[in-house]
């Protein structure tokens, strides 16, 4: 945003000063060779491919145009852009999405999903992260001596205090955002984008157990969130996603990676801070005791601690732990610093320029590339895509209410100690509020 804005003002300054002296601009034009730019088949275009022919600007974050193309609640995967369906089909047909991992189901709200006919979901071929199976390419640990600072479920009104604290203390961080919470809290989103050294990442559109969803529903939950972040950051494509409740498996991971180029991030310690303030929830002192134990323990592997920007209590628990991290010699890092790759797939961070993307997305949708996947209108398929999303918006109601929010929440099934964790009464209670999207009220 800063980059292109300053280029624009530079360009207009040049134009303005050139305007009164038409004579000199004519001589400049004459001095240029007939073809002063490289042709499209020149190798440089492979390195710095134009993102699209059309979308040079995006709707203002928070405006009706900005939210118009997005669903306000659980997305209907029949209505997703054709480009997403094409990319999913191509990945399935090339054998990149395993067909031998069944869709899971829950026997009761808030319980760990089960797989019919599968005795060992903690093993291949399912390798469910709910059952602590780690797949290649996922991030669970940080480098020795570092602590990954990440927050789930924002942006929310409670994020403001957290962002001030992160800014004042110069702390890198990663924020796994819920799509409908971005729609409902555009100011907090903008603050995160403009003022933090932060990775803006994906926590799905409506916070479901992802392994319980069909392939197409997985695509919808990820795609809309990526597209909204893309349209709100001048075309930056998020690189990381965290599955709600830590619930992913080989199938869901493959869809995230092959269709959207996403890396899955879990955690190795859990504060359970989502439940703070609830009747049977954890407490500030319990979280402080956990941090004391982790931060005075071994420095290998490094920590990735599950935290939330859900409530003043969860934010306060982080702020209280921060001096303990420092005094015990831990280095706070963001997920991008852990992975060693950039914050975005097509930009090093929120201020560095957007460049061509390589990897799965570069060739997605028969070479049309990421622009059509994330919805920037540049081709006939993207035009079809916006028609489709507009239809889905009118189906689900009008433009997003400015107070839309999802409570997010109980990412609680993956503490490091112990095996598969049975759902606690706590998570059941939480799920009661999660059962439906909460529009018009902030539950946390
Ligand atoms: C994203 O922004 C572009 C450019 O304004 C627009 O064409 C596209 O429809 C937007 N995407 C969605 C899903 O609204
Ligand atoms: C991290 O620490 C462990 C245990 O001390 C050590 O074996 C390992 O080599 C360290 N890793 C790196 C990259 O230094
Ligand atoms: C963003 O990335 C650029 C490299 O493209 C780097 O020079 C700059 O320091 C980074 N900014 C921050 C805030 O990390």
């Amino acid at each position: 945003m800063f980059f292109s804005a300053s280029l624009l003002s530079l360009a207009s300054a040049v134009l303005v000063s050139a305007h009164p002296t038409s004579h000199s601009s004519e001589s400049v034009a004459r001095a240029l060779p007939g073809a002063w730019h490289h042709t499209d088949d020149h190798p440089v275009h492979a390195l710095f491919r134009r993102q699209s022919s059309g979308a040079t600007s995006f709707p203002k974050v928070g405006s009706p145009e900005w939210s118009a193309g997005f669903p306000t609640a659980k997305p209907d995967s029949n209505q997703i852009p054709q480009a997403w369906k094409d990319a999913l089909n191509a990945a399935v047909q090339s054998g990149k999405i395993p067909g031998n991992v069944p869709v899971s189901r829950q026997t009761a709200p808030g319980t760990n999903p089960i797989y019919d006919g599968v005795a060992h979901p903690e093993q291949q071929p399912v390798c469910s992260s709910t059952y602590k199976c780690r797949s290649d390419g996922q991030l669970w640990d940080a480098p020795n001596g570092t602590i990954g600072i990440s927050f789930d479920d924002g942006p929310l009104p409670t994020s403001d205090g957290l962002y001030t604290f992160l800014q004042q203390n110069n702390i890198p961080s990663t924020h796994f955002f819920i799509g409908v919470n971005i729609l409902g809290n555009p100011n907090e989103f903008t603050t995160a984008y403009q003022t933090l050294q932060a990775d803006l990442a994906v926590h799905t559109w409506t916070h479901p157990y992802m392994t319980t969803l069909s392939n197409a529903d997985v695509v919808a939950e990820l795609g809309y969130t990526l597209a909204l972040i893309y349209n709100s950051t001048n075309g930056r494509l998020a690189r990381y996603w965290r599955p709600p409740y830590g619930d992913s498996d080989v199938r869901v991971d493959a869809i995230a990676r092959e269709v959207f180029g996403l890396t899955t991030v879990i955690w190795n310690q859990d504060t359970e801070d989502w439940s703070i303030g609830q009747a049977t929830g954890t407490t500030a002192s319990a979280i402080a005791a956990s941090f004391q134990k982790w931060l005075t323990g071994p420095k290998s592997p490094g920590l990735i601690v599950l935290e939330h920007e859900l409530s003043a209590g969860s934010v306060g628990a982080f702020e209280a732990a921060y001096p303990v991290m420092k005094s015990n010699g831990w280095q706070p890092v963001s997920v991008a610093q852990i992975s060693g790759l950039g914050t975005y797939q097509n930009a090093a961070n929120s201020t560095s320029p957007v460049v061509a993307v390589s990897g799965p997305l570069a060739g997605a949708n028969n070479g049309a590339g990421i622009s059509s996947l994330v919805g920037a209108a540049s081709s006939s398929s993207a035009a079809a895509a916006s028609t489709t999303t507009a239809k889905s918006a009118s189906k689900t109601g009008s433009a997003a209410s400015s107070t839309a929010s999802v409570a997010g929440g109980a990412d609680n099934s993956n503490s490091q100690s112990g095996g598969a964790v049975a759902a606690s009464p706590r998570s059941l209670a939480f799920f009661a509020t999660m059962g439906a999207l909460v529009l018009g009220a902030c539950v946390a």
Side-chain angles (χ1 to χ4, degrees):
M1 171 177 275
F2 311 123
F3 183 79
S4 51
S6 60
L7 269 192
L8 276 178
S9 53
L10 185 63
S12 53
V14 168
L15 282 176
V16 166
S17 67
H19 189 252
T21 53
S22 57
H23 173 77
S24 65
S25 59
E26 277 160 23
S27 37
V28 168
R30 269 199 307 274
L32 289 170
W36 55 272
H37 53 83
H38 294 300
T39 55
D40 283 352
D41 58 359
H42 189 280
V44 75
H45 284 282
L47 291 175
F48 299 98
R49 209 188 305 271
R50 285 181 206 132
Q51 289 222 326
S52 77
S53 51
T56 50
S57 69
F58 294 95
K60 185 175 167 9
V61 173
S63 68
E65 300 75 33
W66 167 77
S67 56
F70 292 90
T72 55
K74 184 175 156 34
D76 175 356
S77 57
N78 293 313
Q79 302 287 337
I80 61 177
Q82 189 61 39
W84 303 1
K85 295 180 185 172
D86 293 347
L88 174 61
N89 288 339
V92 169
Q93 270 153 30
S94 62
K96 291 186 169 144
I97 315 297
N100 60 345
V101 177
V103 174
S104 72
R105 68 183 174 90
Q106 287 175 288
T107 54
T111 58
N112 288 341
I114 60 161
Y115 296 80
D116 290 321
V118 175
H120 293 286
E122 79 286 7
Q123 296 174 7
Q124 297 293 341
V126 169
C127 191
S128 159
S129 45
T130 287
Y131 297 93
K132 309 227 173 346
C133 182
R134 297 183 174 205
S135 290
D136 288 347
Q138 293 177 336
L139 296 175
W140 292 67
D141 301 323
N144 294 353
T146 67
I147 177 166
I149 307 294
S150 66
F151 300 93
D152 290 7
D153 296 351
L156 289 164
T158 45
S159 304
D160 287 323
L162 173 65
Y163 297 167
T164 302
F165 184 85
L166 293 170
Q167 226 180 310
Q168 283 171 347
N169 292 282
N170 217 16
I171 305 170
S173 55
T174 302
H175 301 263
F176 293 99
F177 281 157
I178 296 175
V180 297
N181 284 359
I182 302 175
L183 282 187
N185 300 282
N187 292 341
E188 281 74 12
F189 179 90
T190 301
T191 301
Y193 175 54
Q194 294 189 344
T195 70
L196 301 181
Q197 308 165 50
D199 313 325
L200 305 190
V202 170
H203 199 40
T204 75
W205 194 253
T206 64
H207 206 273
Y209 282 83
M210 292 292 276
T211 67
T212 67
L213 303 186
S214 70
N215 288 356
D217 285 341
V218 169
V219 164
E221 283 282 341
L222 297 174
Y224 284 117
T225 315
L226 266 175
L228 186 54
I229 293 175
Y230 183 93
N231 272 18
S232 311
T233 58
N234 259 13
R236 286 174 171 76
L237 191 64
R239 188 188 284 279
Y240 308 99
W241 83 290
R242 175 173 280 162
Y245 316 96
D247 183 48
S248 188
D249 60 20
V250 167
R251 176 184 66 99
V252 172
D253 253 43
I255 296 169
R257 180 179 62 248
E258 300 297 336
V259 178
F260 292 118
L262 288 165
T263 297
T264 306
V265 182
I266 316 285
W267 58 82
N268 60 18
Q269 295 293 359
D270 182 359
T271 58
E272 300 190 20
D273 64 347
W274 58 270
S275 69
I276 198 167
Q278 296 185 11
T280 56
T282 191
T283 60
S285 60
I287 295 176
S290 296
F291 268 117
Q292 182 68 27
K293 189 173 138 216
W294 302 330
L295 295 169
T296 56
K299 285 211 169 62
S300 94
L303 296 166
I304 298 181
V305 180
L306 177 60
E307 294 176 83
H308 292 81
E309 51 193 281
L310 260 177
S311 65
S314 65
V315 169
F318 167 76
E319 293 180 6
Y322 182 67
V324 190
M325 296 173 198
K326 298 301 279 182
S327 63
N328 284 283
W330 289 85
Q331 185 196 348
V333 290
S334 78
V335 166
Q337 291 170 313
I338 292 171
S339 81
L341 301 170
T343 284
Y344 302 99
Q345 297 183 55
N346 56 355
N349 54 45
S350 294
T351 50
S352 63
V354 172
V355 299
V357 72
S358 61
L361 288 173
N365 192 31
N366 298 324
I370 61 169
S371 302
S372 61
L373 275 182
V374 292
S378 65
S379 66
S380 54
S381 66
S386 20
T387 315
T388 315
T389 49
K391 252 188 264 155
S392 98
S394 59
K395 271 197 143 179
T396 51
S398 58
S401 134
S402 64
T403 52
S405 81
V406 160
D411 289 321
N412 65 334
S413 50
N414 270 299
S415 62
Q416 196 173 44
S417 48
V421 178
S424 62
R426 205 174 283 170
S427 63
L428 289 175
F430 195 88
F431 192 85
T433 58
M434 271 301 296
L437 293 181
V438 184
L439 294 173
C442 180
V443 159

